[in-house]
Structure formats: structure tokens, C-alpha cells
Amino acid sequence: MERAEGKKRKIPWGMLYIGATIVAVLLFGLFNREFGNVFYTITHLTPGFLTAAVAITVAYFFFEGGIIRLLMNSQNIAMSLWSSMKIGLIGIYYSYITPSSTGGQPMQAAYLRRDKIPVGLSTAVLIMKFFCFQCAFVFCSLISILFMREKIARENPGILPFIAVGLIINGASILFFGSMFFRPVLGAVCRFAKWLAGRFPKLSQRFHVRETVDKFEADFDSYTDDFKEKKKSVLWGILLSVPQFVLQMSVLYFVFRSFGYHQAGFFEIFAMQSLLQVSVSFMPMPGASGAQEIGFSNFLRPYFVNNDLYAAVMVWRFFTYYLVVIAGAILVVVDQFLYGRKKAGTSEEELSQGN
């Protein structure tokens, strides 16, 4: 009887989580008025190029999951391509809906913990994944500015300072996250975390923060020791991140062609998209919203000359942001529902075995 009463009092966190996700997506649509207009605009564009934009986005997800799987397998952690793609999309989704993209890696680590992967180890893998992508990001952006600098300086010099700041900040992120794999830096970060937890003793004791940080440091440190002998996987991660980044930045070219334009080649549109991305990626808004749209207007105005710049922004954001948010939200809801059923079935089986 006591067990039954305890079970009734249990809070259905899974269902609350699903409900919160659905509400968040509905609010997302309500507060983005241009979201509804984008469907009308899409119906009047060249369908072949839009299909290509969708296919490229799917290919981007395959690379995201494949690189995560590569880095996990290098640590002898078996992971299917589907599971790695799911973790990848979940990370992108939470990065897009949280300020400064802060929610991606923590939520990925939480989902991996459900699969019995230690938080320290999964965090190390995810930081390495981010490191690989940032290397590709900065490399491609540097190539882009080298080829486009004269044209930009001649036609749109006002955006050059934003590009320079973006390159500096994103370059610094490579150095910072790379330094995490050196013991003195990792130790300093963990000591700071414990010092900060000490400022809130009740919360620290309740959630066992010091013990959690110590375990995290040990898991992360063991990953670092093991990874020093597997630099080949890091190199592959960086090399594969280059075509992944190219795919992500290529969507704009197909949007550009869907509007009937062809006065600029693939590399020029790719380069301008890369430089736009590097200029706004550090903005604190979720998905760099606002900065992306304003940046698009400043960077791409010379390419959309038939009074359709605003429509182009809507379509581009739909494929690079809204579509990902919708796909991520659906995945989160379905995955949480299936996980809840699986967990309930396991609990019932354990209960029957106990009786």
C-alpha cells in the first residue's frame, strides 16, 4: 500500500517536459509573425532549389551525428548512427533556443547520461566536437575573407570591423576549449566551480556539487589521457567538419537561386554567408535572432536587388533556423515519450521480479 501511495505522488516529469516543449514551440511561432508568411513566399519560388536546400540540411545532420559517433567510438563507446544523429540534432535544437547557445552541450550530456555514459567523458567528447567544428568554421571564414576582402572593402566596407571581431572571438574559443584538455587548466576550472558552489553551501550540499565536480574532473581527465594516443580521430573530426560547415553555409546559395538570381557564383554566396555567420555567432540571443536578420540585410543586400530582401531573409531563416527548431522539438517530444514508456516497462518488470 505504501509503495502504491508513493507511486501516486510521483511527479510526471517526462510529461511536464513534453508539455513545456510543445508550449515553447507554440510561443515561438506566435512571437515570430514572419514565420507564417514564409509558407506563402516558398510556394512562389523555384521548387528544385528549395528541395536541394532541404537535402543539404539533412546531409548536414548526417555529418553532425557521424562526427559525434567517430569521437565516441574512438573512446570505445559504441553508438549507432541514428543515436549519434539524435544527440546531434538535440544539441543543435537546444543551442538554437537558449541564449548564447548555452543549452546544447549540457542537454546532450544529460541525454547521454541516460545511456550510462559518464558526464565528464561525454562532456569531453562534446567539447572536442565543438573544437573540431570551430577549427573548420574559422578556417573557412579566413579563406572567405582572403578572397572577398577587396570586393567588400570596395562595396561594403562597414561590415569589415564586425568580421574582424567575429574572427577574433571565434579564434579565441578554439584556444580556450583546446586548453581544457590540459590538466592545469581543467584543474583551475574545476576549483573555480567548487569555490563558486561554496558561496551557496545549502545548494552545494543538497546536490553534492563538490563530489559531482570531482567525479567530472576524473572522468574528463581519463578521457584526456586516453585521447592523447588517438589524435587521428581529432584530425578526422576537423577534416569532416569542413564539408559539414560547407553544407551548412550552402543553403543560402540555393535560396538565392530559388529567387531566380544567378549573377553570383556558389563560392561568393558561400563566402558571404560564412562571414555573416562569423560576425553574429557570438551574439547572446537564442539562435542569434535579430542579429542574423540585420546582418543578412547588411551583408546580402547587393545580391537581392528586386525588392525581395525581406522575403529572402524569411525563407533563409526558415531553412536554417525554424525548420531545425521544428524538427528538434518533434524529436525531443517523441524521444521523451518513448523513453518514458521504456522506463515504465522496466520498472514494472523489476517490480514483478521483486514480488
Side-chain angles (χ1 to χ4, degrees):
M1 181 66 71
E2 291 180 1
R3 183 179 293 175
E5 290 177 356
K7 191 173 182 180
K8 287 181 180 178
R9 288 196 299 267
K10 187 176 180 181
I11 299 174
W13 293 112
M15 294 305 297
L16 290 174
Y17 182 65
I18 290 174
T21 301
I22 293 173
V23 170
V25 173
L26 291 174
L27 290 174
F28 176 84
L30 289 173
F31 285 102
N32 287 272
R33 295 182 180 179
E34 70 274 16
F35 183 72
N37 298 329
V38 77
F39 294 103
Y40 174 81
T41 304
I42 288 175
T43 60
H44 290 74
L45 301 178
T46 306
F49 289 114
L50 296 180
T51 302
V54 174
I56 284 172
T57 302
V58 173
Y60 167 78
F61 291 146
F62 270 99
F63 271 90
E64 180 75 9
I67 296 170
I68 291 175
R69 184 170 180 253
L70 168 72
L71 296 174
M72 285 291 185
N73 288 349
S74 71
Q75 297 302 300
N76 300 315
I77 299 174
M79 179 175 281
S80 67
L81 180 59
W82 160 247
S83 295
S84 61
M85 285 186 64
K86 180 184 76 172
I87 292 298
L89 180 54
I90 284 172
I92 296 170
Y93 167 68
Y94 281 105
S95 293
Y96 278 11
I97 65 172
T98 53
S100 300
S101 301
T102 52
Q105 280 81 14
M107 289 305 299
Q108 285 176 312
Y111 274 79
L112 288 169
R113 190 170 180 234
R114 294 191 329 191
D115 298 329
K116 312 302 181 185
I117 299 175
V119 173
L121 198 152
S122 63
T123 302
V125 171
L126 295 170
I127 287 177
M128 184 56 70
K129 168 65 180 68
F130 178 78
F131 172 83
C132 292
F133 187 80
Q134 284 296 101
C135 287
F137 179 18
V138 173
F139 171 75
C140 291
S141 299
L142 286 171
I143 296 295
S144 297
I145 191 60
L146 286 174
F147 279 89
M148 295 296 297
R149 189 182 182 284
E150 289 186 7
K151 182 178 176 64
I152 293 173
R154 184 173 61 252
E155 299 178 1
N156 197 5
I159 65 176
L160 286 173
F162 296 99
I163 296 171
V165 171
L167 285 170
I168 291 170
I169 291 176
N170 284 280
S173 73
I174 294 175
L175 297 177
F176 173 76
F177 287 104
S179 69
M180 288 287 289
F181 293 90
F182 291 92
R183 277 198 179 90
V185 177
L186 176 64
V189 170
C190 291
R191 285 195 298 273
F192 174 76
K194 288 190 284 188
W195 173 84
L196 190 63
R199 305 302 95 188
F200 308 93
K202 291 185 179 180
L203 288 174
S204 179
Q205 292 175 7
R206 181 176 180 180
F207 294 102
H208 310 288
V209 174
R210 296 184 67 86
E211 294 84 352
T212 301
V213 171
D214 288 336
K215 188 176 185 308
F216 169 85
E217 184 176 7
D219 291 336
F220 197 110
D221 203 34
S222 65
Y223 170 92
T224 301
D225 286 339
D226 192 34
F227 215 87
K228 288 176 181 177
E229 300 176 1
K230 299 180 179 179
K231 294 185 176 70
K232 186 177 179 180
S233 60
V234 178
L235 179 60
W236 271 111
I238 295 172
L239 291 176
L240 290 172
S241 293
V242 172
Q244 183 193 11
F245 180 75
V246 171
L247 286 168
Q248 185 185 29
M249 297 297 106
S250 298
V251 173
L252 177 58
Y253 174 75
F254 292 97
V255 171
F256 173 74
R257 292 300 306 274
S258 72
F259 275 80
Y261 293 110
H262 50 76
Q263 76 272 22
F266 171 81
F267 181 76
E268 184 172 341
I269 299 298
F270 163 81
M272 292 305 295
Q273 165 69 95
S274 302
L275 297 175
L276 166 60
Q277 188 68 20
V278 82
S279 301
V280 302
S281 60
F282 55 88
M283 294 298 178
M285 296 78 72
S289 296
Q292 287 276 15
E293 289 80 0
I294 294 172
F296 189 100
S297 300
N298 288 313
F299 278 68
L300 281 306
R301 186 177 297 277
Y303 299 94
F304 293 90
V305 295
N306 294 329
N307 199 29
D308 50 15
L309 180 66
Y310 181 70
V313 172
M314 290 195 300
V315 176
W316 169 68
R317 283 296 271 172
F318 176 77
F319 283 108
T320 59
Y321 184 59
Y322 300 137
L323 193 61
V324 177
V325 169
I326 293 170
I330 292 172
L331 175 63
V332 165
V333 170
V334 172
D335 181 74
Q336 187 65 28
F337 177 74
L338 294 176
Y339 176 73
R341 289 188 61 181
K342 180 181 177 182
K343 191 175 180 181
T346 303
S347 299
E348 289 178 4
E349 184 178 346
E350 291 175 351
L351 186 62
S352 63
Q353 288 176 354
N355 292 334

